[in-house]
Amino acid sequence: MAKTGDKSGGSGKKGLKRKAATEEPQEAAVAEDGATESGVQPPRAAAFPPGFSISEIKNKQRRHLMFTRWKQQQRKEKLAAKKKLKKEREALGDKAPPKPVPKTIDNQRVYDETTVDPNDEEVAYDEATDEFASYFNRQTSPKILITTSDRPHGRTVRLCEQLSTVIPNSHVYYRRGLALKKIIPQCISRDFTDLIVINEDRKTPNGLILSHLPNGPTAHFKMSSVRLRKEIKRRGKDPTEHIPEIILNNFTTRLGHSIGRMFASLFPHNPQFIGRQVATFHNQRDYIFFRFHRYIFKSEKKVGIQELGPRFTLKLRSLQKGTFDSKYGEYEWVHK
Amino acid sequence: MQSDDVIWDTLGNKQFCSFKIRTKTQGFCRNEYSLTGLCNRSSCPLANSQYATIKEEKGQCYLYMKVIERAAFPRRLWERVRLHKNYEKALEQIDENLIYWPRFIRHKCKQRFTKITQYLIRIRKLTLKRQRKLVPLSKKVERREKRREEKALIAAQLDNAIEKELLERLKKDTYGDIYNFPIHAFDKALEQQEAESDSSDAEEKDEEDDEEEVGKREFVEDDEVDESDISDFEDMDKLDASSDEDEDDKSSSEEEDKALDAQHKGKTPLKGPLRRKRAYVEIEYEQETEPVDKAKTT
């Protein structure tokens, strides 16, 4: 009862503090009451009993208050620790220990056993005998057919056009209700080496099927974040007819290696460096980012790049051994 | 007793019929035995005791008939006749079964049967063509993948990666002679100079041996003083440093650079050997970058 009298007398915050104090055991409460009565609000020297946690306070407002106060304290401590560390580093100067490397997903990842070692004999033998061997031996040069699913809308059509300017020696044909299984033999007879089908859903392209033609693997990707040329900020002028270079980043595992070779076989093997255009397929955490840039060497340590063509990200959904056959195909890898 | 007019007066026209749907212009009949789909006096299955319909089940067409004699037996009310798969024969069957029936019902039955066969043909044709398979997307999975893609994009640091790769390719000399940066020229020149000095040392040693064997006296210059070598290399380093700074700061002028390059490519790769053989004065050269393909950018 005496306590309630105190509460009614006090100001808002003080009253709250006293209320909070009542949560704790009596001795601590009495001491703090004495402190607050002196008129100064001392810093909370937490005299909580062990086993007490802020989350056990039933009242939401009080709980929130205690929590914010605790958070502020934590922040102060953290800042103080940082400052101290910085001072120590400066004091040591050159002898300071190297800065600790922050942990990221990429450097904490479990080592994948299927990583391809470039000097491996088996890998070299596989490469010499797989479906892309003829491309890498310069026996065939790529000829690409780009098409869409039925009744494409504007975005998809424009993406196909822009893709055909990026990939040299490619042709766009519209699908007018033809079945893929019927298109493929025709393509083979006309010497196409690759078939790209852009799947569309609700007026946006959302899938890409890449099929290497004579009897090569078929990869099905989910396509997202498609940006057409006019949507790219600070872009350069349209790409020229020069054959671009290719950059394939982070295709390390066996699966990645075969997909990387698939991408490489889309472009002719003799890039024209005069054109200074580069197409990049960068694999990061299983997302393949495609970019198309024009570069210029300002000095031997600095290069400037300017984004040109369309950009999109792909995520592999399935890799199939033969050409496109969704029912009876033999799947090498399927995303679960 | 079954009186059609009474039924129609109550249901069709004025009061509530649970099969009737009204729109602003038309009334429709939702009854499954309705011949046309409209709510009319002549096509209401409830208000006509003699009625017939065509119904289709799983690709098979049936003719359903109702007569007033069976109005008391709801279980046996509708008589069902399976129609022939052949269109003409089925029409004959309809005629045969509905002989002496009112013209309206006969006509409407045949019309309905025609429409049904047409859409069945269309179904069969469409199933042969490619069918669009709808794959359900899990919203949770989509959201998760979108977020992961954003994070992967940030982690990828694409621009830096591409620039690094391009610079590496430049260092490895995949671009050949297209780009000509002075540091590269110096490095090449250094290597060349070392090679030359090795070969020239070997040659001179041979010559000296021969001459000494002959016994001639000759005053030979002192080429291989270490100090001059060291001083030369020190100057080389200084020049490299200054050239770096100049490249970074100053703009390019083609002529000077080409002249320098010509000097480099021409007779002596370096000023080093030159300096060694003659008295020299230290001169600072300004190295300026070649504007690579400035004219070529469009």
Side-chain angles (χ1 to χ4, degrees), chain A residues 106 149-150 175-180 199-201 222 224-225 237 240 245-249 273-274 276 278 280 282 284-285 287 289 291 293-305 307 311 313 315 317 335, chain B residues 129-130 132 134 137 141-142 144-149 151-167 169-171 174-175 178-179 181-184 244 247-248 289-290 292-294 296-298:
Chain A
D106 295 312
S149 52
D150 276 343
R175 181 106 80 89
R176 295 160 92 252
L178 303 167
L180 270 183
N199 189 42
E200 193 200 14
D201 178 54
K222 174 174 89 143
S224 45
S225 314
K237 297 211 176 144
T240 55
E245 293 171 53
I246 317 174
I247 293 181
L248 295 166
N249 273 342
F273 299 121
I274 307 181
R276 285 183 293 129
V278 57
T280 311
H282 182 103
Q284 185 84 17
R285 303 182 192 175
Y287 289 94
F289 298 102
R291 299 286 183 270
H293 292 279
R294 186 177 279 138
Y295 62 89
I296 178 168
F297 284 107
K298 297 184 192 158
S299 74
E300 63 283 331
K301 300 237 172 100
K302 236 168 50 158
V303 60
I305 54 175
E307 183 152 10
R311 69 155 83 149
T313 64
K315 187 163 204 276
R317 276 225 271 241
H335 182 56
Chain B
K129 277 195 175 185
R130 302 140 45 231
R132 180 160 279 203
L134 292 177
L137 297 174
V141 170
E142 291 303 305
R144 209 197 290 164
E145 288 202 341
K146 192 164 152 235
R147 185 72 182 133
R148 285 195 185 156
E149 186 190 319
K151 297 215 158 176
L153 183 63
I154 296 172
Q157 295 179 343
L158 282 169
D159 290 343
N160 290 350
I162 297 177
E163 287 174 8
K164 231 181 9 176
E165 176 70 28
L166 287 171
L167 286 171
R169 287 191 185 176
L170 182 68
K171 270 195 197 159
T174 44
Y175 299 130
I178 305 180
Y179 303 107
F181 289 115
I183 280 233
H184 275 217
D244 271 339
E247 281 160 12
D248 287 338
T289 52
E290 200 182 61
V292 181
D293 298 333
K294 233 186 189 175
K296 291 177 194 168
T297 50
T298 45

Side-chain angles (χ1 to χ4, degrees), chain B residues 262-277:
Chain B
Q263 272 186 13
H264 288 305
K265 288 179 195 169
K267 316 145 202 173
T268 48
L270 258 194
K271 302 147 206 126
L274 263 178
R275 286 192 186 169
R276 265 197 254 146
K277 290 177 185 170

Side-chain angles (χ1 to χ4, degrees), chain A residues 184-251:
Chain A
I184 287 177
Q186 285 195 18
C187 286
I188 298 178
S189 65
R190 286 181 211 194
D191 266 345
F192 279 98
T193 58
D194 286 279
L195 172 69
I196 297 182
V197 182
I198 296 187
N199 189 42
E200 193 200 14
D201 178 54
R202 281 215 221 144
K203 306 188 189 173
T204 48
N206 74 342
L208 184 106
I209 298 177
L210 173 57
S211 183
H212 188 70
L213 271 187
N215 49 354
T218 308
H220 173 42
F221 297 94
K222 174 174 89 143
M223 184 153 61
S224 45
S225 314
V226 177
R227 301 278 174 265
L228 299 175
R229 245 175 228 143
K230 63 178 181 180
E231 294 158 9
I232 297 179
K233 299 182 183 172
R234 290 182 274 271
R235 68 175 162 97
K237 297 211 176 144
D238 285 338
T240 55
E241 296 287 327
H242 295 107
I243 298 177
E245 293 171 53
I246 317 174
I247 293 181
L248 295 166
N249 273 342
N250 288 348
F251 286 92

Side-chain angles (χ1 to χ4, degrees), chain A residues 15 77 80 92 96 101 110 122 142 196 212 214 257 260-261 269 278 308:
Chain A
E77 285 174 12
L92 282 180
V101 178
V110 174
E122 232 188 87
I196 297 182
H212 188 70
H257 201 66
R261 281 165 71 79
H269 221 124
V278 57
L308 302 182

Side-chain angles (χ1 to χ4, degrees), chain B residues 16 18 55 59 98 126 135 172 218 223 241 265 271 292:
Chain B
F16 178 75
S18 67
K55 269 174 61 165
L98 297 183
L126 283 178
V135 175
K172 282 192 190 161
E218 203 177 304
D223 305 352
K265 288 179 195 169
K271 302 147 206 126
V292 181

